Amino acid sequence: QVQLVESGGGLVQAGGSLRLSCAAVGYSFLIEDMGWFRQAPGKEREFVAALSGSRDMTFYADSAKGRFTISRVYGQNLMHLQMNSLKPEDTAVYYCAASRFLSSDSAHDIGSYDKWGQGTQVTVSA
């Protein structure tokens, strides 16, 4: 059974850092395009960052630029999201997602992703 498994969430003070990980388990092929979304209480799920391994491209939401870095382990279905200078407004459940194809036009769109993880909670205290 294929699944995406997130880890690395937790409680951190404002200004601190966390690294989230997403492992794609059970796949017989390398997933090239993956991304991160987040959902805060009472809000819609929103795009955070994504990468296209085959195109060697990364995509970021404005809120993540300069603070978050998305990366993957070469040759493995393992992706990370390094989050620095965290703010209370970053508090949310963070979801990993896989896509068949991402571009600059589609990376931000939830509909571009066809597999989702269960999410990991990130809480940033003031």
Side-chain angles (χ1 to χ4, degrees), residues 69-122:
T69 302
I70 190 170
S71 63
R72 68 176 305 144
V73 177
Y74 180 77
Q76 298 183 32
N77 280 334
L78 181 61
M79 177 177 67
H80 300 297
L81 182 68
Q82 178 66 42
M83 304 187 296
N84 299 328
S85 302
L86 283 163
K87 306 174 182 180
E89 51 263 44
D90 294 317
T91 295
V93 177
Y94 283 70
Y95 297 91
C96 168
S99 173
R100 299 175 187 272
F101 175 82
L102 291 177
S103 68
S104 57
D105 292 330
S106 67
H108 302 73
D109 186 356
I110 286 179
S112 300
Y113 300 83
D114 53 16
K115 187 70 176 179
W116 293 83
Q118 292 299 306
T120 185
Q121 176 70 46
V122 171

Side-chain angles (χ1 to χ4, degrees), residues 11-33:
L11 173 64
V12 64
Q13 289 186 332
S17 299
L18 282 175
R19 190 177 81 156
L20 305 183
S21 298
C22 173
V25 180
Y27 285 86
S28 59
F29 55 90
L30 193 65
I31 302 174
E32 294 285 357
D33 296 5

Side-chain angles (χ1 to χ4, degrees), residues 8-70:
L11 173 64
V12 64
Q13 289 186 332
S17 299
L18 282 175
R19 190 177 81 156
L20 305 183
S21 298
C22 173
V25 180
Y27 285 86
S28 59
F29 55 90
L30 193 65
I31 302 174
E32 294 285 357
D33 296 5
M34 300 180 74
W36 290 95
F37 284 72
R38 68 186 183 186
Q39 188 166 17
K43 295 188 177 181
E44 295 185 352
R45 192 170 297 190
E46 65 175 7
F47 172 74
V48 176
L51 58 79
S52 173
S54 60
R55 298 163 194 80
D56 194 24
M57 296 177 67
T58 56
F59 314 95
Y60 292 95
D62 288 342
S63 60
K65 289 178 181 176
R67 299 189 300 129
F68 295 1
T69 302
I70 190 170

